[in-house]
Amino acid sequence: MKFSLVQLGCIALSATASVVSPREQALNGTEGLLSCLSTRKLPFLVPSSAAWASHTTTYNARLQYRPAAVLVATTTQQISDGVVCAAQNGIPVQAKSGGHSYASFSAGGRDGILVVDLGNLNDITVDNSTGIAVVGAGVRIGNLALGIYEQGSRALAHGTCPGVGVGGHFTHGGFGYSSRAFGLAMDQIVALDVVLANGSFIRANERSHPEVYWALRGAADSFGIVTTFHLQTSLAPSRVVQWEFSFPRALASVSAAVRAFRGVQDFALSATVDRNLGLGVNIADNAASFVVHGTYLGSIAAFNATIVPALLASVPFAPDPKASSMQEVGWIASLTRLGGLSTLAVPLTGYDARDNFFAKSVTTSKPFSEAALRRFFAFILDKGVGNDAPVGWFSIMDLYGGPGSALGTRNESFAAYRGYQDLWVVQNYGFVGVDRTFPKAGLDFMSGLNDALASETPGHGAYLNYIDPSYPREEALRVYYGEKTHARLKALKEILDPGNVFSNPQSI
Ligand SMILES: Cc1cc2nc3c(=O)[nH]c(=O)nc-3n(C[C@H](O)[C@H](O)[C@H](O)COP(=O)(O)OP(=O)(O)OC[C@H]3O[C@@H](n4cnc5c(N)ncnc54)[C@H](O)[C@@H]3O)c2cc1C
Ligand SMILES: *[C@@H]1O[C@H](CO)[C@@H](O)[C@H](O)[C@H]1NC(C)=O
Ligand SMILES: *[C@@H]1O[C@H](CO)[C@@H](O)[C@H](O)[C@H]1NC(C)=O
Ligand SMILES: *[C@@H]1O[C@H](CO)[C@@H](O)[C@H](O)[C@H]1NC(C)=O
Ligand SMILES: *[C@@H]1O[C@H](CO)[C@@H](O)[C@H](O)[C@H]1NC(C)=O
Ligand SMILES: *[C@@H]1O[C@H](CO)[C@@H](O)[C@H](O)[C@H]1NC(C)=O
């Protein structure tokens, strides 16, 4: 069949009706869903549709699921109708924005759901008087950065990969190297237009539906479908320093690595550090590289005069000059370099980037202890160097807190996010080629790597945007939200989505 958006449910319905009347035998959930979507003349895909593969192939090739149908919505009314159809037939719903969920939750995280694909919601409009950007929930962050910059040199804090969608990223945290200055991506949301489980459509902000506004920022996947984001932009910094120092000798031994990280950590907690500094420590496998890098929102002269001497004095090794650099660039050039591609622009259709991976995370509000760092680097140097590891891997240890960080000014009364006091958020990411099977040994390796750090870090959490499908639901909710926020979310779920329409294997 050559049409892309079909109403194949009509066919399913008439076939069913000719055999046995719905009154005599209730349709099963999937049949009922397709029948309802057809009756309401909604644009949806089923497995026989030509566009099925392009709309359901997951970013994470390790976790592929088969939805019951995909609603390719262009209007709020269609989304509302689709949610009602799914709810009536007991079919779970998840939104799909950029599709980059680490657990493929935007494809369900299991078979048989209704996916609401938001890829057609691509408008970006900045109000010049308020600086508020009105952004469709299908926009990818590369296009977002370009769109708001073109409309008055505006900027938002968000992650690095241009293909990531605002839908997932802005509702589950969202960290970029300007977040210590501007906050998480989520913190810039001033209002949300959202379809709720009963199909109603509301605008939620601080004053109107404040409980929806709170819950959606941290747990949107369990509460509704955001159709439009209202985002408070900032004036783009005119100058950004892009910087990197490589310390090859830091991985010569476990004690060297511990001393190097502690040097970075002591520096990160020192009074020299201000909100303009973005910093991460990257550790990668084969080259055994230990790189400290990030951005500085300011001039290279200021950066070189204050930050650099303090950092280099704190780390007990000299950086390799050939693998170290600093350069002053403009805002868009800085984001482009962080994104690692030649442009931030992402085509509106046909996006097909993929990876085959398993990632875990550790968050902590306290400095990493000597014991935690020793176990972590011992694991790396024992099992992770060169070809010893069963999969490719890297660790990114991002500085969220420290002096001046905008994150530390907030707490979980602001949004459904436990991590405002986090100092570090560490991502441990393992990968193989998309055509390979991710080996069990690789899952074990990544768990071992993560546990080495987590087991010596009491009270640690995990980061919502690095969603980790290996946790059972209750444990997932505890590490993502903590007890207080989890309890508040559970109570709200009873009110806002008692039928558990918006669900995935780790939802509230
Ligand atoms: C290459 C890459 C780089 C990344 N870099 C960063 C980074 O620098 N910083 C960082 O913080 N994170 C980063 N991430 C993680 C990223 O933030 C998350 O994967 C994010 O959730 C993806 O958003 P999405 O819209 O693309 O995903 P999707 O898979 O579309 O959605 C993720 C989840 O959010 C839900 N959702 C999506 N849209 C909506 C909506 N409109 N309403 C309600 N629920 C919705 C989905 O149902 C799903 O449960 C990166 C991920 C990748 C793959
Ligand atoms: C429900 O109906 C669909 C479509 O006819 C069919 O593919 C599926 O197997 C049925 N499921 C059950 C549980 O009967
Ligand atoms: C906002 O300002 C920018 C440049 O300053 C301009 O290009 C754009 O058209 C303006 N937008 C509106 C809606 O007035
Ligand atoms: C940074 O400062 C050092 C020492 O003062 C100096 O040698 C170097 O040229 C400066 N680099 C830049 C890019 O300004
Ligand atoms: C959380 O933040 C709110 C608002 O800023 C403040 O009133 C409250 O005291 C804070 N709570 C804690 C536990 O710090
Ligand atoms: C839908 O749910 C919301 C939130 O609970 C509620 O405010 C609204 O009245 C409900 N609408 C209908 C039509 O039931």
Side-chain angles (χ1 to χ4, degrees):
M1 270 173 269
K2 59 183 184 303
F3 40 81
S4 55
L5 292 185
V6 289
Q7 314 219 326
L8 261 192
C10 300
I11 298 165
L13 178 63
S14 51
T16 306
S18 68
V19 178
V20 53
S21 120
R23 252 179 289 122
E24 289 166 51
Q25 185 186 314
L27 300 175
N28 82 23
T30 298
E31 290 163 343
L33 171 71
L34 299 181
S35 159
C36 180
L37 296 175
S38 299
T39 304
R40 295 186 182 228
K41 302 199 180 346
L42 300 174
F44 67 98
L45 306 170
V46 293
S48 57
S49 308
W52 180 257
S54 66
H55 282 75
T56 57
T57 302
T58 51
Y59 177 84
N60 188 350
R62 191 174 71 82
L63 301 168
Q64 183 64 58
Y65 299 101
R66 185 180 165 95
V70 178
L71 177 67
V72 188
T74 50
T75 67
T76 302
Q77 188 60 50
Q78 289 169 348
I79 295 172
S80 170
D81 285 351
V83 167
V84 168
C85 283
Q88 279 172 356
N89 289 285
I91 299 285
V93 178
Q94 288 283 277
K96 178 183 177 186
S97 174
H100 279 60
S101 168
Y102 278 23
S104 300
F105 283 171
S106 49
R110 55 182 157 168
D111 293 343
I113 75 147
L114 173 66
V115 173
V116 177
D117 189 311
L118 303 168
N120 289 328
L121 308 185
N122 270 305
D123 288 347
I124 304 169
T125 311
V126 181
D127 178 331
N128 280 350
S129 60
T130 60
I132 292 175
V134 180
V135 176
V139 170
R140 296 182 192 271
I141 60 175
N143 295 334
L144 174 66
L146 287 174
I148 60 172
Y149 190 79
E150 281 157 11
Q151 299 178 51
S153 304
R154 307 303 297 181
L156 287 160
H158 51 69
T160 52
C161 176
V164 164
V166 293
H169 187 68
F170 274 70
T171 56
H172 298 94
F175 176 86
Y177 287 122
S178 59
S179 285
R180 296 186 70 262
F182 298 145
L184 295 171
M186 191 168 80
D187 302 344
Q188 304 158 116
I189 298 174
V190 292
L192 295 157
D193 296 343
V194 53
V195 172
L196 297 173
N198 62 8
S200 68
F201 178 59
I202 61 163
R203 177 162 301 173
N205 59 29
E206 226 174 15
R207 292 166 309 282
S208 173
H209 300 283
E211 72 297 346
V212 176
Y213 179 58
W214 179 82
L216 267 281
R217 292 173 301 141
D221 56 307
S222 301
F223 285 95
I225 298 185
V226 179
T227 59
T228 305
F229 289 89
H230 301 256
L231 304 170
Q232 181 62 62
T233 64
S234 303
L235 188 61
S238 55
R239 300 181 288 202
V240 181
V241 181
Q242 205 80 36
W243 60 273
E244 169 163 318
F245 292 105
S246 174
F247 298 95
R249 284 170 55 211
L251 288 175
S253 67
V254 174
S255 76
V258 172
R259 279 186 294 138
F261 189 87
R262 289 202 64 162
V264 176
Q265 179 163 270
D266 290 346
F267 158 77
L269 293 167
S270 73
T272 320
V273 167
D274 64 21
R275 70 201 284 272
N276 296 314
L277 183 72
L279 177 150
V281 178
N282 278 16
I283 297 156
D285 59 346
N286 46 2
S289 70
F290 185 109
V291 171
V292 188
H293 74 160
T295 60
Y296 186 75
L297 308 182
S299 72
I300 197 164
F303 177 73
N304 198 26
T306 56
I307 302 288
V308 175
L311 172 63
L312 296 186
S314 197
V315 179
F317 301 101
D320 173 2
K322 289 197 291 295
S324 302
S325 63
M326 56 178 122
Q327 205 179 337
E328 188 182 293
V329 295
W331 175 247
I332 290 295
S334 160
L335 294 182
T336 307
R337 289 169 65 125
L338 289 170
L341 302 168
S342 59
T343 173
L344 289 173
V346 185
L348 293 185
T349 57
Y351 182 83
D352 62 358
R354 302 188 82 190
D355 199 6
N356 186 353
F357 66 104
F358 174 52
K360 296 182 73 70
S361 64
V362 180
T363 68
T364 178
S365 60
K366 294 186 205 71
F368 280 119
S369 67
E370 182 97 21
L373 294 170
R374 209 178 309 117
R375 272 190 75 165
F376 184 57
F377 287 111
F379 187 97
I380 288 174
L381 294 180
D382 184 30
K383 302 198 169 68
V385 178
N387 294 325
D388 289 353
V391 292
W393 66 275
F394 58 80
S395 296
I396 303 180
M397 310 173 82
D398 278 327
L399 181 69
Y400 278 43
S405 176
L407 303 188
T409 65
R410 303 206 161 97
N411 63 42
E412 57 203 335
S413 71
F414 176 72
Y417 187 79
R418 79 174 274 192
Y420 283 115
Q421 305 306 315
D422 285 343
L423 177 64
W424 296 105
V425 173
V426 178
Q427 163 169 225
N428 295 306
Y429 187 107
F431 58 93
V432 299
V434 285
D435 299 327
R436 281 185 54 197
T437 300
F438 197 99
K440 167 82 166 63
L443 301 178
D444 294 342
F445 174 82
M446 295 315 300
S447 295
L449 176 61
N450 204 74
D451 286 352
L453 196 57
S455 61
E456 299 283 350
T457 306
H460 73 87
Y463 176 43
L464 275 166
N465 260 330
Y466 302 150
I467 196 131
D468 173 356
S470 70
Y471 282 121
R473 186 188 307 265
E474 286 305 310
E475 195 181 351
L477 293 171
R478 192 174 50 74
V479 290
Y480 296 145
Y481 296 108
E483 260 160 47
K484 196 171 141 199
T485 294
H486 181 202
R488 187 172 166 193
L489 286 169
K490 260 181 142 156
L492 281 173
K493 179 81 171 176
E494 293 294 323
I495 298 164
L496 294 169
D497 184 13
N500 202 20
V501 176
F502 299 111
S503 66
N504 62 51
Q506 295 180 345
S507 57
I508 309 287

